[in-house]
Amino acid sequence: MPQIPNEHPTLWIRSTRSDSLKGKTIVLAVTGSIAAVRTVELAREFIRRGADVHAVMSEAAGWIITPMALQYATGNEVITAITGKVEHVEFFGNLGRADLLLIAPATANTLGKIAAGIDDTPVTTFATTAIGAGKPVMIVPAMHEDMYDHPAVGENIEKMKSWGINFVGPKVEEGIAKIAGNDEIVLEVERTVGQDSLRGKKILITSGSTAEPIDPIRILTNRASGKTGNELALEAYRRGADVTIVHRNKLGVTGINEIHAETAAQMTDAVLGELAKGYDMLISAAAIADYTLDASEQKISSGKGLELSFRTTRKLIKEAKEAYPQTKIVGFKAEAGVDSGELLKRARHTLKDSRLDMIVANEVSKGGIGTDNNNVTILYSDEKEDLNIEGPKSLIANVLMDEITLLLEAQDEE
């Protein structure tokens, strides 16, 4: 990235991952948990997504990690005391310039003080000011499990949730209520203060491969990894959507509803059941098996000739379109061993024949399946020009969600 004169060298990583937090100011408030050692990399992750990060520390946090480390991590002076500059008001007063107060890690002591309105550390003073001004506050607890299980701690957390404060984690294991992972924290911050173009929308995504049983051990499947579907689910969630993903993998994001479906029939039934609950969009990114068979109830002995009799599976998109014609649908078309002209010709046929709103086409013989990158073309049901995207699947998900946002906005205006 171009260097800005007089910019701290540590900020040269700004926006190297994405621009999801570009223009946002995050105050990272650190308290005296050993998990404070995680905050250096956490701050860097926000900067990699375009954010401006400032740190504020309690005295106890300074016993774990030095202010110099967080100055390096953020590129800004660290606030360790409230001075005549009234830093808490500068960032979180009614005219304050910060977008979010993120308290990570938050100890049981800090939770109790915030819940009681006590502000005897820089962190709790920032919290009192931000809450009083109605600014977004997010808290990431970290402590021993016995402390987390104290009734007062639970009551304090519920009290603060009733004020609109978001909590991320903790992850309870090994007798410790551990700080949430950086990826989870970053995702929740993106959802809270990033663009909210899909807020209030319900999006259903199918992802990955299905698996048709041959016997209790063997399956018939394909090479689809589900990486694209996962990235689509994450991007929709970032933008504020209520997201459900149907697949045979595991994404493991608390806010995203996951439905396990092994076979093509299970996936089709799951999607139709979900659509009955009312969705704005179905993104059919899964590579659903075209053929299935009657599985043997016992393992088929090896070393013998084997003949299998296949039959075609149900067509998910066809059934979804017939049952819920008002739902917008984005389909995917994968081909192998064809040139670009033939790929787009086949994709346009599927787009029209299946009455889709958009279709994403790619030729996978040279890559795309199981990789982190792809080369795809988006085709539209109207006269809009085809859009080619090449790069990481996270980029493809980002661009596709831009197009989906425009599609849903146009629907709202009808």
Side-chain angles (χ1 to χ4, degrees):
M1 62 168 289
Q3 297 177 13
I4 300 174
N6 301 320
E7 183 180 53
H8 194 295
T10 195
L11 299 179
W12 294 349
I13 63 167
R14 190 186 303 279
S15 295
T16 54
R17 188 70 54 83
S18 75
D19 283 326
S20 62
L21 295 173
K22 185 176 181 180
K24 301 299 181 180
T25 298
I26 298 170
V27 174
L28 176 59
V30 184
T31 69
S33 162
I34 189 62
V37 299
R38 290 266 303 280
T39 57
V40 169
E41 186 54 36
L42 180 60
R44 308 290 284 164
E45 288 300 318
F46 293 135
I47 296 168
R48 290 185 179 103
R49 291 161 175 80
D52 182 26
V53 183
H54 295 259
V56 55
M57 299 175 65
S58 67
E59 180 182 0
W63 302 340
I64 308 295
I65 183 173
T66 71
M68 191 69 70
L70 284 175
Q71 181 178 348
Y72 161 80
T74 64
N76 291 306
E77 294 285 341
V78 176
I79 301 165
T80 57
I82 303 300
T83 71
K85 293 174 64 177
V86 288
E87 292 86 352
H88 54 303
V89 178
E90 173 192 354
F91 284 97
F92 288 106
N94 287 325
L95 301 178
R97 61 190 179 96
D99 296 285
L100 174 72
L101 176 62
L102 173 67
I103 306 173
T107 61
N109 184 48
T110 298
L111 294 178
K113 289 180 178 180
I114 295 172
I118 297 171
D119 57 347
D120 62 349
T121 72
V123 170
T124 53
T125 298
F126 266 69
T128 298
T129 307
I131 294 168
K135 299 295 181 68
V137 177
M138 184 178 293
I139 296 178
V140 188
M143 63 199 72
H144 282 280
E145 183 178 4
D146 293 336
M147 299 173 72
Y148 185 69
D149 288 339
H150 190 291
V153 172
E155 290 172 4
N156 289 333
I157 290 173
E158 291 305 313
K159 181 179 182 180
M160 287 184 280
K161 285 181 177 179
S162 73
W163 297 343
I165 294 175
N166 293 327
F167 279 76
V168 183
K171 180 180 181 181
V172 179
E173 61 182 15
E174 300 179 322
I176 303 172
K178 296 182 179 180
I179 189 172
N182 282 355
D183 287 347
E184 182 179 0
I185 298 170
V186 171
L187 181 64
E188 292 299 332
V189 169
E190 289 173 317
R191 181 175 171 86
T192 299
V193 300
Q195 62 165 304
D196 60 352
S197 58
L198 294 174
R199 187 78 61 190
K201 300 297 183 182
K202 291 185 67 177
I203 294 181
L204 179 61
I205 299 169
T206 67
S207 177
S209 64
T210 57
E212 307 302 312
I214 296 173
D215 62 22
I217 295 176
R218 301 178 180 93
I219 59 173
L220 177 71
T221 188
N222 58 63
R223 301 180 189 276
S225 65
K227 290 182 179 180
T228 297
N230 287 350
E231 291 292 349
L232 288 167
L234 291 170
E235 187 60 31
Y237 184 75
R238 277 187 197 97
R239 299 182 184 214
D242 293 330
V243 181
T244 295
I245 184 169
V246 183
H247 58 173
R248 56 190 288 257
N249 300 322
K250 180 67 175 177
L251 185 56
V253 175
T254 302
I256 295 177
N257 180 36
E258 297 190 65
I259 298 175
H260 181 82
E262 188 79 10
T263 67
Q266 289 171 355
M267 181 169 283
T268 299
D269 288 340
V271 167
L272 294 175
E274 281 299 302
L275 289 177
K277 301 174 184 178
Y279 279 81
D280 299 284
M281 169 71 67
L282 166 63
I283 304 175
S284 184
I288 302 174
D290 293 308
Y291 301 96
T292 188
L293 68 161
D294 294 321
S296 171
E297 294 182 358
Q298 297 180 337
K299 180 189 174 185
I300 300 171
S301 298
S302 58
K304 297 181 180 179
L306 178 64
E307 291 185 3
L308 299 175
S309 178
F310 296 102
R311 64 179 183 277
T312 57
T313 57
R314 296 153 56 196
K315 296 300 180 182
L316 185 153
I317 287 178
K318 179 182 178 182
E319 293 191 27
K321 198 67 179 178
E322 289 177 351
Y324 304 98
Q326 77 284 359
T327 302
K328 298 292 184 182
I329 301 179
V330 175
F332 278 66
K333 182 67 171 176
E335 294 287 356
V338 301
D339 60 29
S340 60
E342 181 63 21
L343 169 67
L344 297 182
K345 178 182 176 181
R346 295 183 185 184
R348 287 192 182 94
H349 174 77
T350 301
L351 177 68
K352 182 178 180 180
D353 187 59
S354 298
R355 295 176 293 142
L356 301 174
D357 297 280
M358 281 191 286
I359 193 167
V360 182
N362 67 313
E363 203 283 335
V364 300
S365 62
K366 299 178 182 178
I369 289 187
T371 65
D372 293 327
N373 296 280
N374 206 349
N375 186 335
V376 307
T377 300
I378 302 175
L379 296 86
Y380 306 85
S381 59
D382 54 21
E383 299 300 318
K384 192 171 180 179
E385 185 177 351
D386 300 346
L387 177 61
N388 181 256
I389 318 164
E390 183 173 8
K393 290 179 178 178
S394 57
L395 170 66
I396 291 169
N398 187 290
V399 175
L400 184 55
M401 282 301 160
D402 285 341
E403 298 303 305
I404 285 171
T405 297
L406 294 174
L407 177 63
L408 293 177
E409 287 176 349
Q411 181 185 39
D412 291 340
E413 293 172 0
E414 293 177 356

